[in-house]
């Protein structure tokens, strides 16, 4: 192979990068394990951030954090604009959430994840100036059928028809927030059931697009960082997603517009992340439908991760056993 062709391949993310990235989510999940159920979400996030940053520094890529979580949580963070990786290899946009579900972790509840999403440089929508986004996610059955601009009842009836099922058979994931009271009531009025999420809607969105999941749709206002991260996964799952920014006040709307965002626009999946060269990696912190959480079994710590690649449409699951003595301090064993 000619050297120029070899160089060209090296300068674009390939399948190997995902297996390097999973080491960073595993590290973040393991380091957050001692904090599960201890009521300190800042401590858990700090441990996860430190571990993820350390492992990302060893990966062969030039990553720039487009979506980071710390600003919103007032927590330690991998900040927007931070360069990660060793600087060699492909230039990438990166979305990180060392713990998606810090409250879930602190309270010892399900569905906390450590998450990284990667795409080619310049392809991720930088929505960091507006913290919240209204989202709708389904599997491929929703393509050309569902639209965020339509009433939820109309969308559910259309999706049920496309799936060849009764509306009463559908289950919809929604963040359990006061702002969603009417949305939840409208969903239930159609005869569909709800799966209320206490925190962390990345897993909810992914489960809505997985063919074997019991969730058919994920809707409602959640974090815009989670929206961009989820979009990278939906690319690999072949699902449907739309998002619309939801500024909390006029000041945030103005900040979004100054950053080039359109708060009245419906962003399609290809607007959220352009192209299909995406990677999504998540390791379970606590148990959930998507992956199992970190488990300590005698001398080992077991992790489970999911690795999605947009270009190939591949879903991989990675289960790994790690020696406790290599990871946890004596007080945490």
């Amino acid at each position: 192979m000619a050297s120029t062709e070899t160089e060209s391949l090296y300068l674009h993310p390939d399948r190997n990068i995902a297996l390097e990235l999973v080491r960073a989510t595993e590290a973040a999940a393991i380091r957050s394990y001692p904090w599960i159920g201890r009521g300190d979400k800042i401590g858990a996030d700090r441990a996860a951030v430190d571990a993820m940053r350390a492992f990302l520094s060893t990966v062969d890529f030039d990553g720039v954090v487009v979506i980071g979580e710390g600003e919103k949580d007032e927590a330690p963070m991998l900040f927007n604009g931070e360069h990660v990786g060793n600087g060699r290899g492909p230039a990438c946009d990166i979305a990180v959430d060392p713990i998606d579900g810090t409250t879930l972790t602190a309270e010892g509840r399900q569905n906390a994840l450590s998450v990284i999403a990667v795409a080619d440089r310049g392809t991720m929508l930088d929505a960091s100036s507006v913290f919240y986004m209204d989202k709708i996610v389904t599997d491929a059955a929703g393509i050309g059928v569902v639209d965020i601009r339509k009433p939820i009842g109309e969308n559910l009836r259309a999706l049920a028809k496309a799936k060849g099922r009764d509306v009463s058979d559908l289950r919809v994931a929604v963040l359990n927030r006061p702002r969603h009271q009417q949305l939840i009531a409208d969903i239930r009025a159609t005869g569909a059931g709800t799966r209320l999420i206490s925190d962390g809607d990345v897993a909810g969105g992914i489960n809505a697009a997985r063919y074997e999941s019991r969730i058919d749709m994920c809707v409602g206002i959640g974090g815009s960082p989670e929206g961009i991260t989820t979009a990278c996964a939906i690319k690999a799952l072949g699902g449907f997603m739309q998002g619309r920014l939801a500024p909390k006040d006029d000041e945030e709307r103005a900040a979004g517009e100054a950053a080039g965002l359109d708060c009245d626009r419906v962003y399609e999946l290809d607007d959220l992340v352009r192209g299909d060269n995406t990677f999504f990696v998540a390791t379970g912190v606590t148990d959930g439908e998507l992956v199992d959480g970190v488990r300590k079994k005698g001398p080992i710590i077991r992790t489970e991760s999911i690795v999605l690649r947009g270009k190939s449409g591949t879903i991989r699951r990675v289960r790994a056993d790690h020696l406790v003595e290599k990871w946890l301090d004596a007080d945490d064993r």
Side-chain angles (χ1 to χ4, degrees), residues 135-204:
K135 294 165 270 189
I136 187 166
V137 186
T138 74
D139 63 10
I143 298 173
V145 171
V146 170
D147 193 302
I148 198 171
R149 288 162 286 218
K150 296 178 181 178
I152 188 64
E154 186 176 339
N155 277 327
L156 287 171
R157 287 187 289 272
L159 184 63
K161 183 178 180 180
K163 287 174 172 275
R165 294 161 57 188
D166 292 333
V167 174
S168 60
D169 293 330
L170 301 184
R171 295 293 176 269
V172 183
V174 189
L175 278 169
N176 190 12
R177 297 289 187 272
R179 62 179 177 265
H180 290 150
Q181 285 183 352
Q182 187 60 53
L183 175 61
I184 292 167
D186 291 343
I187 292 168
R188 291 172 176 170
T190 69
T194 54
R195 178 71 63 83
L196 300 184
I197 306 170
S198 55
D199 283 287
D201 63 346
V202 172

Side-chain angles (χ1 to χ4, degrees), residues 100 111 113 197 200-208 210 218 230 280 290:
D100 177 44
N111 290 316
L113 301 169
I197 306 170
D201 63 346
V202 172
I206 293 171
N207 282 330
R210 291 195 306 133
C218 183
T230 302
F280 174 90
L290 188 62

Side-chain angles (χ1 to χ4, degrees), residues 30 298-302 321-328 333:
I30 291 170
I300 65 100
I301 294 175
R302 178 165 294 167
D321 289 345
H322 316 260
L323 281 176
V324 170
E325 64 186 49
K326 301 289 186 180
W327 284 95
L328 298 182
R333 293 178 190 171

